[in-house]
Amino acid sequence: MHPAVADAGAMTGVEVVAAFATHLELDRAMSPHSVRAYAGDLRHLLAFAERHGCGWRDVDLALLRAWLASMVGEQLARATVARRGAAVRSFFAWALAEGLVERDPSARLVTAQPGTHLPEVLGVDAAARMLEVARAGALADGDPLAVRDWTTLELLYATGVRVGELVAVDVGDVDRSARLLRVMGKGAKERVVPFGLPAARALDSWLEGARDRLVTADSGAALLLGVRGRRVDQRQVRALVHRAALAADVEDIAPHALRHSAATHLLQGGSDLRSVQEILGHATLTTTQRYTHVTPERLRRSYQQAHPRA
């Protein structure tokens, strides 16, 4: 039994949620964001159970089905309902393995799969315009924060990394000569991602003068710094992406849209699906395949060129 797990008979709902969160963080190496989401999903179930007069050990399949039905009735997004179902299945599988419950009430629980919502992407021209406006602004006044913003945008688009992965990058994770970026992905899986010449030029501008103007005793090895010299966080990156989209007069996007755009444009340019999977750090090819839905013209051309009866 995991050391964080106490006697099942004495554990409150708050305690079991905390123990489950510890398991996700230490044993499954899930990201802090995913841990918070799964813990929140479990708390949502336990609150529902409490309203129906049940403790967490009394949850059964009928209550789980009623819980899911209540969320459908509230018209929650399919992805939210699917994630909550997955979180609860993970919880009961863990609780059964730890001997906290005698049976897994979620074993026969069926939840709807997330919808096939196509990811939001920028067109190639719009992405280029946003990056060019950021570059021009950074070079015009030499403001280190403007150079940082330009570098951040270039790296997000060039590598397709997640925002959380990028803000965790240290200076030593950048191989400037080979144009490679080392990131730690989901499940503590490390991968190395290439980037192109425009991103390399932005990095040169950042590392050869601009970053030094923001460095403080709190900077450590962080690649990207904020105004007080500390490592930037995801909130700051979201804000700078929104500012950049507004300045370039393109569709307002979230940072993750640059990841989607990178994947889509790689496929449109002829990259194979497995290479894109490696670049994005997807655990399965199925996740990457959704990007083929936004590039039908590329697939049609490939079919017509390759199939003998096209």
Side-chain angles (χ1 to χ4, degrees):
M1 183 176 293
H2 196 283
V5 177
D7 175 59
M11 292 184 77
T12 65
V14 172
E15 290 169 338
V16 80
V17 171
F20 179 54
T22 299
H23 156 70
L24 296 176
E25 180 182 1
L26 299 182
D27 300 333
R28 293 183 54 182
M30 290 179 66
S31 71
H33 175 77
S34 297
V35 172
R36 285 193 299 271
Y38 269 41
D41 295 338
L42 180 55
R43 281 192 289 268
H44 188 272
L45 168 64
L46 299 190
F48 181 86
E50 185 176 353
R51 291 196 297 272
H52 287 74
C54 294
W56 68 268
R57 287 179 296 274
D58 303 317
V59 172
D60 58 16
L61 180 59
L63 188 134
L64 288 175
R65 286 172 172 166
W67 175 59
L68 292 178
S70 73
M71 289 185 282
V72 173
E74 293 171 7
Q75 297 185 327
L76 294 186
R78 285 168 59 94
T80 300
V81 177
R83 190 202 65 222
R84 286 181 172 173
V88 166
R89 281 193 292 271
S90 294
F91 166 70
F92 280 111
W94 165 79
L96 184 64
E98 292 288 347
L100 300 180
V101 294
E102 296 181 356
R103 54 182 175 73
D104 179 356
S106 69
R108 293 190 292 121
L109 183 67
V110 178
T111 56
Q113 294 301 307
T116 55
H117 173 69
L118 298 181
E120 181 182 23
V121 298
L122 285 177
V124 174
D125 292 342
R129 183 163 64 254
M130 186 170 73
L131 295 170
E132 177 55 29
V133 169
R135 185 192 72 85
L139 297 182
D141 56 20
D143 178 3
L145 291 177
V147 177
R148 181 209 61 189
D149 291 356
W150 170 37
T151 303
T152 301
L153 293 167
E154 286 282 6
L155 287 175
L156 285 172
Y157 179 61
T159 65
V161 297
R162 302 174 180 92
V163 177
E165 294 170 345
L166 181 60
V167 299
V169 167
D170 290 336
V171 173
D173 294 326
V174 182
D175 185 337
R176 294 164 68 186
S177 61
R179 300 211 295 263
L180 296 172
L181 187 71
R182 183 171 65 246
V183 297
M184 188 67 68
K186 291 185 176 180
K189 294 181 180 178
E190 185 180 279
R191 71 184 189 280
V192 177
V193 187
F195 56 85
L197 189 58
R201 289 171 176 159
L203 267 169
D204 287 344
S205 295
W206 170 243
L207 292 173
E208 294 174 4
R211 181 181 181 275
D212 290 343
R213 293 162 62 187
L214 296 175
V215 168
T216 68
D218 297 324
S219 299
L223 175 65
L224 300 173
L225 305 177
V227 66
R228 290 181 172 82
R230 300 188 184 96
R231 185 186 298 273
V232 296
D233 58 31
Q234 296 188 46
R235 177 186 55 81
Q236 291 169 293
V237 174
R238 284 193 292 271
L240 76 86
V241 170
H242 288 306
R243 287 198 306 269
L246 180 63
D249 194 24
V250 300
E251 181 181 357
D252 187 23
I253 58 169
H256 213 63
L258 289 175
R259 175 174 166 85
H260 297 324
S261 300
T264 302
H265 298 166
L266 279 167
L267 288 168
Q268 287 176 337
S271 182
D272 65 276
L273 206 56
R274 288 207 175 272
S275 294
V276 176
Q277 178 192 3
E278 290 293 326
I279 289 171
L280 297 181
H282 287 156
T284 66
L285 195 61
T286 302
T287 306
T288 316
Q289 283 176 327
R290 63 179 174 162
Y291 293 106
T292 63
H293 296 299
V294 295
T295 58
E297 191 57 41
R298 182 193 68 83
L299 295 177
R300 187 178 297 110
R301 289 198 307 268
S302 177
Y303 176 85
Q304 290 173 342
Q305 292 172 2
H307 199 286
R309 295 181 69 84

